[in-house]
Amino acid sequence: MADEVPVGRRVAYWRKRRSMSQQLFADRLGKSKSWLDKVERGVRRLDKFSVLQEIADSLRIDVALLLPEGQAPQPVGPTTLIDLGDLDAVQAALERYEQVGLCPAPAPPPLADVRKSVRHAWLTFQHGRYPVLVRAVPKLLRDTQAVELAYRVPAERITETAHLHGQAYLVASTVLRKLGHHRLAWIAADRAMVIAGRAGDKLLTGLAAGHAGQALLGLDRPRSALEITTLAATALAPGGATYPEHISVYGHLLLQAALAAATIGDSVSVYGLLGSAGEAAADLADDANHLWTAFGPTNLALHQAAAAVQLGDGERAIRIHQKIDPDLLTALPAERRANHQLTLAHAYAQIGAVDRAGDALLLGDRLAKAEIRCRPMAHAVITDVLRGTRGTPPAPVAALAEQMGVGI
């Protein structure tokens, strides 16, 4: 679509792509058909971030697709944990091309410092501290690129520096996807895949494929996401005894493929993929965190619940949750636990238990604020909670909605 196309016409375009009438889509938004008609004709402007995000979530697209290229929605007030200037800096870092000599390469920092920085970035992500990570990503990309360019001998050194460089792109892709910037997330994952191919790093290639699949899923390309993750999983399928990092990447790919299949509605593939992931998880001694995948039996259960929600079976997701050992769940990274609470909130909303959904969102917010307050999916779920609540919502839920910029 051309960049000059007005926002209202973009809404109409995507609504028709989803085969929804104006009345049906207006009902989903809790608006009148007249309101939607005015929006699509450009009579009524869409200049409120929460409304734009709600429309994008209902259409299952990145909010950026509703806006001209380069124009970002600007949330205001207490809803914003992420500084828009920091996101601009991440995009600028993705637009640099030192690798092919188009920009002067910065002096490389000590390799030991870069190792620590990559590790710290992943720990920051797994603690759910997305604002801190977004601020760190541009320098991380520059530093890892600089060391890959500088340290080219001996051969094992270039293998390590390429892996660090690829990991930097993967952590950038992950946090961008969490924040709903799926196009940038896909670019970062694609860069990691190029680096992995250049270095002949099969595990990094698999990880990059998994992240690319997640980004494609956010871009409403579930079949492409399913294809890339299943192909990568097949390429890494263990043919006997292998090491934990290999099993973890293989299992991670199967989980991402299962979520893509669930988005399509292919329940047979979902359960087949989850079954294979279960066999891989059984080969690990515990809920390890090899190569930052957090892959293991408990994270498998979390993905089983997420796939059930995606298939519209909230009751099944809740049953899966009830069987998870609380101690094992507590041992997972804060991001995983908060994400699971978001899954539960969605499941409870599906079955009409909006009070329990609100409780799950509040618990997720206590575990990792950014996982709830910054994610488009959480905005959609809390909107469902508010609409489904009879009378005035509980004060903590109302306060969280206000902090997220979601109107009651």
Side-chain angles (χ1 to χ4, degrees):
M1 297 176 67
D3 286 349
E4 65 271 13
V5 175
V7 174
R9 284 181 57 191
R10 289 168 182 258
V11 171
Y13 169 80
W14 284 104
R15 172 181 62 77
K16 293 172 184 175
R17 282 277 303 267
R18 297 292 179 263
S19 301
M20 284 190 282
S21 66
Q22 277 192 335
Q23 186 63 63
L24 176 59
F25 189 49
D27 290 344
R28 288 195 177 187
L29 294 171
K31 303 288 187 180
S32 68
K33 180 181 176 183
S34 173
W35 179 90
L36 179 60
D37 181 65
K38 290 177 181 177
V39 165
E40 293 186 347
R41 290 189 292 112
V43 175
R44 186 183 186 104
R45 293 186 60 189
L46 281 176
D47 51 12
K48 191 173 180 182
F49 172 74
S50 59
V51 177
L52 278 169
Q53 190 66 72
E54 184 180 351
I55 289 173
D57 290 341
S58 296
L59 292 169
R60 293 182 289 108
I61 60 173
D62 187 334
V63 70
L65 292 176
L66 296 178
L67 299 171
E69 183 71 19
Q71 179 180 338
Q74 301 195 7
V76 295
T79 66
T80 309
L81 295 178
I82 307 296
D83 188 287
L84 292 177
D86 292 336
L87 282 171
D88 287 342
V90 172
Q91 179 163 336
L94 291 172
E95 293 169 352
R96 295 181 65 84
Y97 289 91
E98 287 91 343
Q99 193 69 38
V100 292
L102 296 181
C103 304
L111 186 55
D113 291 351
V114 175
R115 291 191 194 104
K116 291 178 182 177
S117 295
V118 171
R119 174 179 171 77
H120 184 262
W122 278 115
L123 288 172
T124 301
F125 168 74
Q126 292 196 330
H127 280 89
R129 301 173 64 197
Y130 305 155
V132 175
L133 180 55
V134 167
R135 289 195 294 272
V137 160
K139 184 176 186 300
L140 185 68
L141 292 177
R142 289 194 300 271
D143 287 351
T144 53
Q145 188 170 64
V147 295
E148 189 191 358
L149 287 170
Y151 297 105
R152 293 194 172 275
V153 290
E156 59 268 20
R157 182 59 55 83
I158 186 59
T159 299
E160 179 190 7
T161 57
H163 188 85
L164 290 171
H165 191 192
Q167 286 283 351
Y169 274 113
L170 292 184
V171 76
S173 177
T174 301
V175 73
L176 287 165
R177 176 182 57 81
K178 288 281 191 179
L179 301 177
H181 294 272
H182 301 294
R183 183 179 63 84
L184 292 178
W186 182 83
I187 291 172
D190 186 66
R191 295 275 176 83
M193 195 171 297
V194 171
I195 293 167
R198 185 169 64 237
D201 189 332
K202 292 183 178 180
L203 294 188
L204 184 61
T205 299
L207 289 170
H211 286 74
Q214 290 174 309
L216 286 167
L217 203 54
L219 290 169
D220 195 34
R221 300 295 299 257
R223 295 189 183 279
S224 296
L226 179 59
E227 180 180 13
I228 190 172
T229 49
T230 52
L231 284 173
T234 300
L236 285 177
T242 186
Y243 49 100
E245 291 82 1
H246 189 137
I247 295 172
S248 296
V249 175
Y250 171 67
H252 168 75
L253 283 163
L254 291 171
L255 295 181
Q256 302 315 314
L259 293 180
T263 302
I264 297 169
D266 182 358
S267 59
V268 174
S269 294
V270 169
Y271 296 125
L273 289 162
L274 289 174
S276 297
E279 293 173 3
D283 289 335
L284 295 176
D286 52 23
D287 290 300
N289 192 18
H290 298 294
L291 292 177
W292 309 103
T293 60
F295 181 72
T298 308
N299 198 23
L300 167 65
L302 269 53
H303 280 77
Q304 289 171 332
V309 166
Q310 195 63 48
L311 289 169
D313 194 348
E315 290 185 356
R316 177 180 172 81
I318 294 164
R319 289 197 302 271
I320 292 169
H321 164 73
Q322 291 169 343
K323 294 178 181 178
I324 298 174
D325 185 329
D327 292 336
L328 295 178
L329 182 60
T330 301
L332 289 179
E335 174 272 332
R336 288 283 79 215
R337 288 180 282 144
N339 176 269
H340 181 57
Q341 291 303 318
L342 179 53
T343 296
L344 275 180
H346 197 171
Y348 282 123
Q350 282 182 340
I351 67 172
V354 292
D355 54 337
R356 301 294 299 275
D359 291 342
L361 287 172
L362 291 170
L363 177 53
D365 187 62
R366 290 195 293 272
L367 290 168
K369 279 183 169 37
E371 178 66 18
I372 302 301
R373 301 190 186 190
C374 296
R375 295 204 61 190
M377 183 190 300
H379 284 243
V381 173
I382 201 167
T383 298
D384 289 342
V385 170
L386 296 176
R387 289 177 182 167
T389 300
R390 294 182 179 179
T392 304
V397 174
L400 178 59
E402 183 177 359
Q403 290 161 346
M404 293 171 67
V406 178
I408 300 176

